[in-house]
Amino acid sequence: MLSRRVFLTRAAGAGITTGGLGAMLAGFGPKAAAPPAQVRIPAPGSPVTWPISASNPLLPSGKLAERNATLKVFCWTDRVNPRCLDDFAQKYGCQVELTSFGTFGQALASLAGGRDIFDVLLGAPAYMVGQLVGKGLLRPLNHSYLPNLRHTWPQVASPFYDVGLRYTVPYTVYTTGIAWRRDLIDADPYAMANGWTFPWVAGARGKTALLDDYRESVGLALIRAGADINTTDPYVLDAAQAQLASLRQLVGIRVDNNTSAEIAAGQTAVHLAWSGQAAAAPRFLPSGVPVEAIGYWFPPDGIGPVGNDTATVLRGAQSPVLAHLFINYLLDPLSALVNISRIGFMQPLTYVTPARLVYEGILPRSLMSTAVLSTYQDHGLKKLRLPVGADALWRQIWNSVSARRGKTG
């Protein structure tokens, strides 16, 4: 187990000075000093309105879409329907080029490194917005190009992480729960007092997987123990690491984000999952396997991890007008239904209700538990940006737990 003392020793060995270490550990423990004033960490009780600088101004209103352009979209794998790209390209007489990433860490490294230039980023988690703005990677949004914002839920119309939606638009919403194969596992998390313990008791040795996302997977151990999913306490994180290590020893764990295909194929029988992944899994099912074989558990009271990803225009966008128009296109209710029918992830639009998704044949009734309700935004558990030192410890713990990535252990 990675103790606080070991972490401090390793940090010192890495050449971090005493002053730097103090800054890293800002936020640890109940008596720790507050983060530096310049580090703005949005929270529901401490919303942030990001500034717009003269060096990174709004796109002027009234401009026409760029002609003979290629809109370059950077997005999570399988998180936008190719048909939406084709329809948009036809409508605006342009080309659309899609580049995908498998984890947001990969995306951030690519953007920060400046290796590629994109117009639109789809999928930045809400808790990462401050970091993206702070690094100067985003262009402020001109809402005159985004009339479809009127369709969004009131709960996300001016969120705490980006008051006034100056840099982002809510794209997809999701819960984090547990997907499993009902026909392969003789247990039901809905019958358990604490459904978060399901991976430890399901007995799916060699067929248990966690998300390749340090916030989600370390968060699983924390929420199982009833701890804060944004904790900065190294002793609590030590305990979370021990729980994940015990899971690896008990059943072995795979680490990946290929949840939909793996659950459908039976390659994985229990998978920490985003709700949209479980909702998308039926399209991967082999012939003869009923959709009812796929289950998704999320606390029925809605008090579990709830998040949303965002759509943004990147600062280096070569086609900024088209970028705005594309984001607006995705906010159109009918376009959203087409999009959701492929990706599984809901969009926070008042038109897109669970009942409508079932009526349209997009969401099976047996997977209604994957539906995200607007009320979840009020009382669900939200991931917040961590202070630098805490984030480093979270990542170090996750690297230790997931060291045998892609294999069972």
Side-chain angles (χ1 to χ4, degrees), residues 28 99 119 125 156 171 192 201 261 264 277 351 401-402:
F28 276 161
T99 301
D119 297 294
V156 297
Y171 176 47
M192 302 172 61
V201 302
Q277 294 174 314
Y351 182 82
V401 171
S402 62

Side-chain angles (χ1 to χ4, degrees), residues 116-187:
D116 300 291
I117 302 297
F118 302 102
D119 297 294
V120 175
L121 171 63
L122 294 181
Y127 65 87
M128 293 295 296
V129 168
Q131 187 170 346
L132 293 170
V133 173
K135 289 179 178 293
L137 296 173
L138 306 183
R139 180 165 190 163
L141 297 174
N142 184 330
H143 288 196
S144 70
Y145 295 99
L146 304 171
N148 285 330
L149 276 173
R150 68 184 185 276
H151 298 301
T152 58
W153 292 343
Q155 291 91 338
V156 297
S158 185
F160 68 89
Y161 60 84
D162 183 17
V163 174
L165 297 177
R166 286 190 161 190
Y167 286 89
T168 67
V169 164
Y171 176 47
T172 55
V173 287
Y174 57 89
T175 60
T176 305
I178 300 170
W180 85 102
R181 282 291 295 265
R182 299 178 186 273
D183 55 339
L184 301 179
I185 300 296
D186 188 22

Side-chain angles (χ1 to χ4, degrees), residues 44 225 248 285:
R248 184 171 64 183
L285 280 171

Side-chain angles (χ1 to χ4, degrees), residues 60-268:
S61 299
K63 294 177 71 68
L64 297 177
E66 295 83 5
R67 299 183 62 184
N68 302 316
T70 297
L71 182 73
K72 296 187 176 182
V73 179
F74 197 30
C75 181
W76 282 90
T77 300
D78 292 329
R79 206 68 67 86
V80 65
N81 191 338
R83 178 180 161 186
C84 289
L85 306 182
D86 293 341
D87 289 349
F88 178 82
Q90 183 174 6
K91 180 175 182 178
Y92 287 97
C94 65
Q95 301 294 318
V96 179
E97 180 180 295
L98 176 65
T99 301
S100 300
F101 54 85
T103 70
F104 195 72
Q106 296 171 0
L108 189 59
S110 178
L111 294 174
R115 295 188 296 270
D116 300 291
I117 302 297
F118 302 102
D119 297 294
V120 175
L121 171 63
L122 294 181
Y127 65 87
M128 293 295 296
V129 168
Q131 187 170 346
L132 293 170
V133 173
K135 289 179 178 293
L137 296 173
L138 306 183
R139 180 165 190 163
L141 297 174
N142 184 330
H143 288 196
S144 70
Y145 295 99
L146 304 171
N148 285 330
L149 276 173
R150 68 184 185 276
H151 298 301
T152 58
W153 292 343
Q155 291 91 338
V156 297
S158 185
F160 68 89
Y161 60 84
D162 183 17
V163 174
L165 297 177
R166 286 190 161 190
Y167 286 89
T168 67
V169 164
Y171 176 47
T172 55
V173 287
Y174 57 89
T175 60
T176 305
I178 300 170
W180 85 102
R181 282 291 295 265
R182 299 178 186 273
D183 55 339
L184 301 179
I185 300 296
D186 188 22
D188 186 343
Y190 284 102
M192 302 172 61
N194 181 359
W196 298 110
T197 66
F198 187 57
W200 281 263
V201 302
R205 182 159 189 83
K207 291 192 172 186
T208 297
L210 300 179
L211 288 169
D212 191 2
D213 185 297
Y214 76 110
R215 292 299 302 272
E216 299 288 13
S217 291
V218 175
L220 168 65
L222 291 170
I223 197 169
R224 180 197 181 204
D228 180 7
I229 63 169
N230 299 296
T231 187
T232 60
D233 188 328
Y235 299 103
V236 174
L237 290 167
D238 272 354
Q241 180 182 5
Q243 289 193 55
L244 293 176
S246 73
L247 179 63
R248 184 171 64 183
Q249 183 176 10
L250 181 67
V251 296
I253 54 174
R254 181 181 291 107
V255 176
D256 60 54
N257 292 334
N258 301 320
T259 312
S260 301
E262 289 185 2
I263 283 287
Q267 179 182 354
T268 300

Side-chain angles (χ1 to χ4, degrees), residues 2 4-18 20-22 24-25 392 396:
L2 180 64
R4 185 173 187 272
R5 178 176 297 177
V6 170
F7 175 70
L8 297 177
T9 301
R10 291 181 183 176
I16 299 172
T17 65
T18 303
L21 187 57
M24 283 184 66
L25 293 176
Q396 190 163 354

